[in-house]
């Protein structure tokens, strides 16, 4: 009886050992099989082009991008953007939505062409080819060629300023090579550019060959930095440059000239020469205007066509033109008395006023 129990215990022990050994063998076989399975899956994934492209996109880190962009960065304008700023702008841009799309027309069975996109725009191209020595019958794809064209990130910037002002960037004053086109006349002075005056114009600085954005610094004739308004700058921003003293002097000469000019041209009082003497004292001697007024004495073609009662004279605008010249825009209202009674007329007059040894004098006029 005791011997029977002992045999049973021995049999149970052998069975347990057998089961454990079986389990270990099964686990070992399972591990090998699982490893084989995952290796199979891994090689399969590597054989998929999309896997290679996903890995390529992930490889575009800072150093990779700098190596690809080095040739492009070398062509950029160092006057307006440093190398470090250029790389920073490129890296910031490439942090956008990168994607890829297969270009079937250029692809073959052994060579696949993909277009790299940045926010939907073409950035470059990548060519994938099969590696040798297939595993499990699968041949992984690898990058054979890569080319990224960063020119799509190029920017341009324009700024229009008076021709006597300066524009700088990163501490570098931009020279005449940055000027775009011809000098731009001021609209309000267009009637006077053909009369021989040294009148100011505007110029446009055009900057290109940089990426991202740059900050342009604008300085006036005195070297003072001027903050330009956002967006397109109206010419009037640059024309309101007279001091209060200059405006007061201009207003005085405009009032005196227009009052006597209207009286002279209307000749309502019949005193032609005295009217001429009154107005000519406010005119630059020997100027084209002075000559025209002298010629008008003989004809008085506007005789009695204008009234002699000045209602008001308003100085609308003024500008220091430099070289002792000023621009003035004035409006005057005159009451004309005729057979039908009093008729009121409003006239706008543009004037060039010059500083002479005898003070400010009117050099030219134009009605508008």
């Amino acid at each position: 009886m005791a011997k029977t129990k002992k045999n049973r215990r021995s049999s149970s022990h052998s069975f347990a050992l057998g089961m454990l050994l079986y389990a270990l063998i099964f686990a070992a076989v399972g591990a090998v099989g699982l490893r084989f399975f995952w290796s199979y899956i891994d090689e399969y994934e590597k054989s998929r082009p999309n896997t290679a492209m996903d890995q390529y996109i992930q490889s575009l880190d800072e150093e990779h991008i700098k190596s690809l962009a080095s040739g492009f960065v070398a062509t950029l304008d160092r006057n307006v953007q440093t190398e470090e700023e250029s790389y920073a702008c490129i890296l910031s841009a490439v942090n956008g939505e990168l994607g890829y799309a297969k270009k079937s027309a250029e692809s073959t069975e052994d060579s696949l062409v993909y277009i790299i996109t940045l926010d939907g725009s073409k950035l470059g191209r990548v060519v994938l080819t099969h590696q040798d020595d297939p595993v499990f019958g699968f041949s992984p794809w690898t990058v054979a060629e890569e080319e990224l064209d960063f020119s799509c990130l190029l920017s341009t910037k324009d700024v229009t300023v008076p021709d006597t002002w300066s524009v700088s960037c990163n501490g570098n004053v931009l020279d005449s090579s940055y000027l775009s086109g011809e000098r731009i006349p001021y609209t309000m002075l267009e009637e006077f550019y053909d009369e021989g005056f040294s009148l100011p114009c505007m110029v446009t600085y055009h900057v290109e060959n940089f990426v991202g954005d740059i900050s342009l610094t604008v300085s006036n004739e005195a070297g003072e930095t001027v903050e330009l308004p956002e967006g397109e700058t109206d010419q009037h921003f640059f024309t309101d440059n007279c001091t209060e003293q200059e405006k007061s002097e201009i207003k005085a000469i405009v009032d005196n000239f227009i009052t006597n000019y209207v009286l002279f041209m209307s000749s309502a009082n019949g005193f032609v020469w005295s009217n001429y003497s009154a107005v000519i004292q406010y005119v630059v001697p020997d100027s084209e205007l002075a000559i025209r007024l002298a010629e008008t004495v003989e004809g008085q073609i506007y005789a009695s066509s204008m009234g002699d009662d000045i209602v008001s004279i308003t100085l609308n605008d003024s500008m220091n033109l430099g070289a002792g010249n000023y621009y003035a825009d004035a409006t005057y209202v005159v009451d004309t008395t005729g057979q039908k009674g009093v008729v009121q007329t409003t006239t706008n007059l543009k004037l060039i006023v010059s500083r002479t040894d005898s003070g400010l004098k009117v050099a030219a006029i134009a009605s508008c």
Side-chain angles (χ1 to χ4, degrees):
M1 187 70 156
K3 186 176 181 179
T4 303
K5 289 182 178 181
K6 184 177 179 180
N7 289 337
R8 286 179 181 175
R9 283 197 301 268
S10 177
S11 298
S12 299
H13 183 68
S14 298
F15 178 78
L17 288 174
M19 291 299 295
L20 178 60
L21 180 61
Y22 176 80
L24 290 174
I25 294 172
F26 182 82
V29 171
V32 171
L34 189 60
R35 182 176 180 180
F36 177 86
F37 174 76
W38 286 117
S39 296
Y40 181 90
I41 293 298
D42 183 56
E43 293 302 325
Y44 168 74
E45 286 296 327
K46 290 178 181 179
S47 72
R48 300 177 65 228
N50 283 4
T51 300
M53 289 305 302
D54 289 339
Q55 291 175 345
Y56 176 77
I57 295 297
Q58 293 172 9
S59 76
L60 292 175
D61 56 15
E62 180 175 339
E63 291 305 315
H64 193 172
I65 291 172
K66 280 188 173 182
S67 66
L68 291 171
S70 60
F72 169 74
V73 169
T75 68
L76 301 181
D77 190 343
R78 285 289 161 266
N79 282 330
V80 300
Q81 193 172 59
T82 66
E83 183 177 296
E84 292 74 16
E85 289 171 335
S86 300
Y87 278 123
C89 290
I90 292 172
L91 290 169
S92 176
V94 175
N95 281 334
E97 188 66 30
L98 281 176
Y100 59 85
K102 183 180 177 181
K103 197 165 185 179
S104 300
E106 297 183 17
S107 298
T108 65
E109 183 177 347
D110 298 317
S111 178
L112 303 180
V113 178
Y114 283 83
I115 300 301
I116 305 298
T117 61
L118 174 61
D119 296 328
S121 298
K122 180 180 177 180
L123 181 63
R125 68 197 297 271
V126 168
V127 178
L128 300 182
T129 58
H130 276 300
Q131 286 184 343
D132 296 331
D133 303 326
V135 179
F136 300 119
F138 300 125
S139 183
W141 291 97
T142 186
V143 175
E145 298 177 30
E146 58 177 334
E147 178 185 341
L148 297 189
D149 180 7
F150 297 97
S151 61
C152 62
L153 304 178
L154 285 172
S155 300
T156 62
K157 197 163 190 175
D158 295 328
V159 59
T160 301
V161 297
D163 57 0
T164 55
W165 290 24
S166 64
V167 177
S168 59
C169 185
N170 273 341
N172 300 311
V173 178
L174 305 186
D175 59 27
S176 59
S177 66
Y178 290 89
L179 293 179
S180 173
E182 299 178 354
R183 294 171 46 172
I184 305 167
Y186 283 92
T187 303
M188 64 188 191
L189 298 173
E190 58 188 359
E191 293 90 348
F192 301 109
Y193 281 101
D194 295 330
E195 297 196 19
F197 293 100
S198 178
L199 300 178
C201 292
M202 302 186 74
V203 291
T204 297
Y205 285 84
H206 176 74
V207 186
E208 55 186 10
N209 283 338
F210 68 92
V211 291
D213 193 16
I214 57 174
S215 178
L216 298 178
T217 301
V218 175
S219 302
N220 60 21
E221 299 95 332
E224 302 165 333
T225 300
V226 179
E227 293 292 334
L228 300 184
E230 292 290 335
E232 187 174 349
T233 305
D234 189 89
Q235 287 187 353
H236 186 74
F237 177 82
F238 304 104
T239 63
D240 187 16
N241 62 349
C242 289
T243 65
E244 292 303 317
Q245 175 64 29
E246 288 172 330
K247 290 179 180 179
S248 177
E249 292 182 274
I250 294 170
K251 179 68 166 67
I253 184 65
V254 167
D255 285 352
N256 288 326
F257 172 78
I258 289 179
T259 298
N260 289 280
Y261 175 73
V262 170
L263 181 61
F264 169 71
M265 294 301 289
S266 68
S267 193
N269 59 9
F271 303 122
V272 176
W273 284 105
S274 62
N275 294 339
Y276 171 76
S277 298
V279 71
I280 202 66
Q281 64 179 311
Y282 301 108
V283 177
V284 173
D286 300 322
S287 63
E288 289 292 330
L289 177 60
I291 294 172
R292 290 207 310 269
L293 291 179
E295 293 172 346
T296 304
V297 172
E298 298 298 330
Q300 285 295 313
I301 58 175
Y302 296 105
S304 301
S305 65
M306 299 180 67
D308 56 3
D309 294 329
I310 299 289
V311 176
S312 64
I313 301 174
T314 303
L315 180 63
N316 303 316
D317 202 0
S318 62
M319 179 184 179
N320 187 336
L321 304 175
N325 294 320
Y326 299 89
Y327 163 81
D329 180 290
T331 299
Y332 63 91
V333 180
V334 175
D335 278 346
T336 301
T337 303
Q339 295 179 351
K340 295 183 179 181
V342 177
V343 177
Q344 190 171 93
T345 57
T346 300
T347 304
N348 185 249
L349 194 65
K350 293 182 177 182
L351 308 93
I352 298 294
V353 180
S354 299
R355 192 173 294 282
T356 69
D357 293 339
S358 303
L360 291 182
K361 304 286 185 180
V362 177
I365 60 173
S367 297
C368 56

